[in-house]
Amino acid sequence: MKEKTKKFVIITGYFKGESYGLLGPQMAATIINDHTDYEAIVVGVTNEDDKKDLKTALNRHFKNRQKIIGFSSLGGRPDLFDLAGQLKHRGAITILAGPQAGPDYKGETGWQDHPHRFKGLSDCFSFAVHGPAQQIIPFLNSGPGIDVSRFDGVLCRDEHGRIFENLPVPWDDAYLSKVDWQTLNILKDKAFKPLSITCGQVLQQIGCQHAAKQKQIFIDYPWELQKDNPRPCFAGICQKGCSFCDVATDKGYMGAVDETAVKKQIFYLPKGPDGRKIPFELINESPLFKLKRIFELADELSVELSQVNLTLRADYLLKGLEPLEETLKIARKKDTRILLSSIGFESFDNTILKNLNKGVTRQTNLDAIKAIRQLKPEYPAHLGYLKEEGANHGFIHPTPWDNDEISREINKTISMYQLSFDILPNHSTPLIIHHASGLSDWIRKIELKENIEFKRVGTTIGWWQTRDRSLLQVLSYVF
Ligand code: SF4
């Protein structure tokens, strides 16, 4: 095959020492390689990588060609936003894509009238693309000098500096069937080196069912603001899905991916040393009802699976116990492990779960734990859910609503049900409020009502810190 002369690099955030695949960026690179005359690679950039070395590697990679660099799944990292800005100011075309590309390019609601709010990333990027990756094809096939404002899914500035956006095209299963997992690179010795992945991903559902329906929710004031002066909950916040979740805001629920595309994704997964497909994460927030079908698709392809990782909610786990057991019997016969890699418990307190709009209660979470603990002895090698087995379940702490009483109760639950033994991760995750998540509407309302300003930290809102005081309680109960 003729070697391509034009190059495209997709930069993404990555963790040092890891070897997991990145479905979104690697699917985008595959689409570019298959549909344009550009050769695309993905570069996973860790926090530890030296940006000077990264720039040297980019210069070596592009040589004297026009640099066209996409940025995706940046995890809100300011160092990567700065890098994009520096590259743009030195003549590169920098494109923001991936989750929350649109809101992050445009900036926080009302920032023009509230200077402390997040101003967006339109200075750092030549333009942004929200929605499916294939929208980049017409731009690349037209050449870098083209006016991008006519392409689907593009956000850019007009001649007066105003941002406008075009609607994205719908998701199309034809572009969701193939991922070339060889496209991932890391930075080593000031150059890009291919990284063999040991865990892939298969997309079976776009978005989350919990985010399908909008409803009005009621969220309490942060404890520090109401402890001496109790105030009622805020009404009138319209929310789809969990209030902290960017999948909910970004994608909502767009339904299942066509089975033919899922089958092809399984086909394109690399094989491990034992000849079986490497472990993969099944992207589907309610995976149990269709899990058996994954095994049937593998049979149709005459391939064997080593491990399927599932991310799911506690209530979906309870609803899907029967199909899970049915699939576990198949998994045992085929010696495939099903790992419940992340169950989104998030909290063991009803007030916090309500404020997160999780749609489950403390009891739902405890029932789910009881069910998996009962199931585990029947399938010791083929059902995994323990942290030692690679699971990392969702547990959000601290939150703005923690107080001594809530913490004492959570601590009691942890001890009574021995959650530290098999459920709680080694470290909890602090509540992160992205500027476009449901909770951002809530916190902006508080700012206006109380005449206070919370700190902005990159693309997030620092709920723990107003301009003049810290609101984060140092609790004696540390999880
Ligand atoms: S956190 Fe999970 S369950 Fe909640 S809306 Fe997001 S994807 Fe769905």
Side-chain angles (χ1 to χ4, degrees):
M1 204 171 69
K2 205 172 132 210
E3 201 191 327
K4 293 184 175 183
T5 52
K6 296 179 184 173
K7 296 198 184 268
F8 189 97
V9 168
I10 301 173
I11 287 182
T12 76
Y14 206 67
F15 290 103
K16 194 180 172 190
E18 295 287 351
S19 55
Y20 53 89
L22 295 161
L23 183 98
Q26 293 196 258
M27 198 177 253
T30 309
I31 289 171
I32 292 169
N33 287 328
D34 286 355
H35 296 275
T36 75
D37 53 0
Y38 283 77
E39 179 210 276
I41 60 163
V42 177
V43 178
V45 180
T46 67
N47 281 313
E48 294 78 11
D49 284 335
D50 186 319
K51 299 300 170 314
K52 271 195 207 141
D53 291 354
L54 179 57
K55 285 182 203 156
T56 306
L58 285 167
N59 288 336
R60 285 180 178 170
H61 184 75
F62 280 100
K63 299 202 172 79
N64 54 0
R65 299 176 185 93
Q66 166 68 55
K67 287 192 185 77
I68 306 186
I69 307 173
F71 287 75
S72 175
S73 310
L74 300 182
R77 275 174 54 184
D79 61 323
L80 296 179
F81 302 150
D82 287 349
L83 174 77
Q86 289 166 25
L87 292 167
K88 180 188 163 198
H89 290 118
R90 284 184 206 149
I93 296 174
T94 55
I95 305 162
L96 180 63
Q100 299 287 11
D104 286 352
Y105 184 80
K106 287 189 289 189
E108 189 176 339
T109 301
W111 68 261
Q112 295 86 344
D113 301 323
H114 302 275
H116 72 291
R117 293 187 185 176
F118 169 60
K119 292 181 177 47
L121 300 169
S122 59
D123 278 346
C124 304
F125 293 95
S126 312
F127 63 96
V129 183
H130 61 156
Q134 67 268 24
Q135 296 176 120
I136 200 66
I137 299 172
F139 165 70
L140 293 176
N141 284 341
S142 309
I146 195 80
D147 170 19
V148 295
S149 64
R150 59 197 168 96
F151 295 129
D152 293 320
V154 160
L155 295 98
C156 60
R157 280 174 165 171
D158 65 16
E159 64 273 22
H160 307 292
R162 286 178 304 227
I163 294 171
F164 72 91
E165 65 181 290
N166 296 331
L167 286 177
V169 297
W171 292 81
D172 179 349
D173 292 336
Y175 291 97
L176 300 175
S177 44
K178 184 178 168 192
V179 184
D180 175 0
W181 292 105
Q182 317 288 321
T183 48
L184 183 60
N185 289 256
I186 50 167
L187 183 65
K188 202 167 173 210
D189 302 328
K190 302 184 185 178
F192 300 138
K193 300 279 183 246
L195 180 73
S196 293
I197 63 152
T198 54
C199 186
Q201 289 162 315
V202 168
L203 180 68
Q204 196 185 28
Q205 181 176 283
I206 303 172
C208 167
Q209 277 157 335
H210 182 49
K213 227 171 65 196
Q214 183 157 297
K215 69 174 207 182
Q216 204 180 44
I217 60 166
F218 301 84
I219 304 180
D220 294 315
Y221 252 72
W223 175 248
E224 278 298 303
L225 292 181
Q226 68 151 325
K227 65 178 180 185
D228 303 321
N229 179 13
R231 293 148 161 103
C233 298
F234 268 131
I237 292 164
C238 285
Q239 178 62 38
K240 282 180 175 176
C242 304
S243 58
F244 60 91
C245 175
D246 40 339
V247 174
T249 354
D250 198 44
K251 296 205 175 72
Y253 176 56
M254 296 190 189
V257 173
D258 180 73
E259 208 170 79
T260 322
V262 176
K263 187 172 169 181
K264 282 198 183 149
Q265 289 181 55
I266 297 171
F267 171 79
Y268 282 110
L269 281 168
K271 285 184 178 168
D274 59 1
R276 297 189 295 170
K277 293 290 182 184
I278 59 168
F280 65 90
E281 179 195 349
L282 186 67
I283 301 177
N284 179 351
E285 299 294 321
S286 51
L288 299 179
F289 288 94
K290 283 192 187 170
L291 191 54
K292 192 174 142 200
R293 200 59 201 125
I294 294 292
F295 285 82
E296 289 165 359
L297 293 176
D299 278 349
E300 288 171 23
L301 289 165
S302 304
V303 297
E304 288 178 39
L305 308 177
S306 54
Q307 180 170 308
V308 186
N309 297 350
L310 305 177
T311 297
L312 70 174
R313 298 161 49 88
D315 53 344
Y316 293 173
L317 172 64
L318 288 171
K319 281 183 200 151
L321 275 177
E322 230 173 83
L324 173 62
E325 274 211 74
E326 210 182 311
T327 318
L328 275 166
K329 289 186 182 116
I330 301 169
R332 184 162 53 193
K333 270 195 211 136
K334 293 184 175 293
D335 195 21
T336 302
R337 185 153 77 140
I338 294 174
L339 174 66
L340 306 175
S341 55
S342 181
I343 305 170
F345 298 114
E346 321 308 2
S347 181
F348 293 92
D349 175 79
N350 283 335
T351 300
I352 292 178
L353 287 166
K354 171 196 74 94
N355 290 335
L356 298 177
N357 196 35
K358 193 69 208 173
V360 298
T361 61
R362 167 185 177 274
Q363 195 55 49
T364 320
N365 284 343
L366 292 173
D367 289 347
I369 291 166
K370 189 173 166 198
I372 43 176
R373 282 177 174 168
Q374 278 172 352
L375 211 49
K376 174 74 174 163
E378 283 183 59
Y379 304 93
H382 298 101
L383 171 67
Y385 78 96
L386 302 154
K387 43 190 167 186
E388 296 79 32
E389 294 170 314
N392 188 15
H393 303 302
F395 182 50
I396 297 178
H397 176 84
T399 75
W401 310 287
D402 296 317
N403 59 34
D404 287 346
E405 195 190 327
I406 285 179
S407 298
R408 220 174 0 252
E409 285 305 313
I410 295 180
N411 229 24
K412 229 196 279 173
T413 305
I414 289 173
S415 149
M416 208 152 61
Y417 295 90
Q418 298 189 316
L419 302 182
S420 303
F421 166 68
D422 55 349
I423 296 296
L424 290 189
N426 292 333
H427 304 284
S428 62
T429 307
L431 180 71
I432 294 168
I433 302 183
H434 182 271
H435 73 92
S437 68
L439 281 175
S440 70
D441 288 338
W442 163 78
I443 207 160
R444 279 190 290 270
K445 285 190 182 200
I446 290 175
E447 286 187 318
L448 294 175
K449 197 155 182 205
E450 298 294 319
N451 197 22
I452 53 176
E453 291 177 357
F454 288 95
K455 219 172 118 177
R456 271 31 180 197
V457 186
T459 55
T460 64
I461 302 176
W463 56 264
W464 58 88
Q465 176 85 62
T466 65
R467 278 213 168 150
D468 49 1
R469 71 182 175 126
S470 169
L471 297 185
L472 180 62
Q473 283 202 69
V474 182
L475 296 164
S476 47
Y477 304 95
V478 178
F479 305 118

